[in-house]
């Protein structure tokens, strides 16, 4: 889901920055629709409407729903990172004879990535925590597994504290990985 979210985010960010009015309109419509509706509603729509049409498993439905949801936030992070690079850098690339593609790959992107990295880590952490909502469509993720173990062992507090510790361990590791 993280890789798809980054891909969706990059495409939408580039559309938002494009000169095409229809591209900007589609990107803005996607962003407004996705960011202003609850994830649970989107997961339900993907599961009950899109899954029967496409014919994919509940797991991949959940992955796609999370990717589409987090991709909207990734798009704004990428767009803001790209726009934070001073315009003079693009002008310098033009003056040196760089093609627009080379300007983007060799000048703009290397300067934007360090700016985008901390919010992208937060996005990944959000995606990991949001995956718990996939219990609503019976995807066997950590929360679902915990519920199954609780129903067999009746050790609710111990299991939920363990689940919280696992999520905390994953997210803190990601946080430290980015800050280093």
């Amino acid at each position: 889901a993280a890789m798809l979210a980054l891909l969706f985010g990059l495409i939408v960010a580039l559309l938002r920055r494009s000169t095409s009015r229809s591209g900007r309109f589609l990107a803005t419509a996607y962003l407004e629709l996705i960011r202003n509706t609850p994830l649970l509603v989107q997961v339900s729509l993907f599961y009950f409407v899109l899954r029967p049409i496409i014919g994919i498993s509940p797991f991949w439905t959940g992955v796609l729903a999370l990717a589409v949801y987090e991709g909207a936030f990734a798009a704004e992070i990428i767009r803001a990172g790209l726009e934070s690079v001073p315009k003079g850098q693009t002008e310098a690339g033009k003056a040196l004879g760089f093609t627009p593609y080379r300007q983007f790959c060799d000048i703009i992107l290397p300067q934007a990535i360090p700016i985008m990295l901390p919010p992208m880590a937060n996005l990944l952490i959000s995606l990991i925590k949001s995956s718990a909502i996939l219990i609503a469509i019976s995807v066997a993720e950590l929360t679902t597994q915990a519920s199954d173990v609780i129903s067999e062992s009746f050790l609710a507090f111990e299991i939920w504290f363990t689940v919280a510790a696992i999520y905390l361990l994953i997210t803190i590791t990601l946080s430290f990985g980015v800050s280093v």
Side-chain angles (χ1 to χ4, degrees):
M3 296 306 289
L4 283 174
L6 290 175
L7 178 64
F8 293 157
L10 179 62
I11 292 168
V12 172
L14 294 175
L15 283 173
R16 287 261 303 186
R17 297 186 71 217
S18 76
T19 56
S20 166
R21 291 178 78 172
S22 59
R24 283 194 319 268
F25 174 78
L26 286 173
T28 302
Y30 164 76
L31 290 173
E32 294 303 321
L33 177 70
I34 298 301
R35 292 188 315 165
N36 292 312
T37 55
L39 178 57
L40 182 59
V41 172
Q42 292 176 30
V43 167
S44 298
L45 285 172
F46 271 77
Y47 185 75
F48 293 111
V49 177
L50 191 62
R51 186 181 69 86
I53 294 170
I54 298 176
I56 57 177
S57 70
F59 172 80
W60 287 109
T61 303
V63 167
L64 189 59
L66 285 175
V68 168
Y69 180 75
E70 296 294 343
F73 295 97
E76 288 298 281
I77 293 169
I78 294 168
R79 183 192 57 78
L82 294 174
E83 289 180 359
S84 70
V85 177
K87 299 290 182 206
Q89 298 294 319
T90 304
E91 294 169 3
K94 285 180 189 175
L96 291 171
F98 282 74
T99 65
Y101 177 76
R102 294 279 27 124
Q103 288 173 26
F104 181 77
C105 292
D106 295 339
I107 299 172
I108 305 302
L109 200 56
Q111 294 180 62
I113 286 176
I115 296 166
M116 293 185 282
L117 200 54
M120 281 297 182
N122 287 338
L123 181 86
L124 185 58
I125 290 168
S126 173
L127 186 140
I128 290 167
K129 293 189 299 183
S130 295
S131 70
I133 207 158
L134 297 181
I135 194 172
I137 60 170
S138 301
V139 172
E141 44 76 57
L142 186 58
T143 310
T144 309
Q145 298 299 327
S147 296
D148 292 346
V149 172
I150 289 169
S151 68
E152 293 174 10
S153 67
F154 302 108
L155 299 171
F157 291 117
E158 295 86 347
I159 302 301
W160 288 124
F161 281 126
T162 304
V163 168
I166 291 169
Y167 276 118
L168 188 63
L169 179 67
I170 292 170
T171 57
I172 286 177
T173 303
L174 287 170
S175 296
F176 283 133
V178 171
S179 64
V180 173

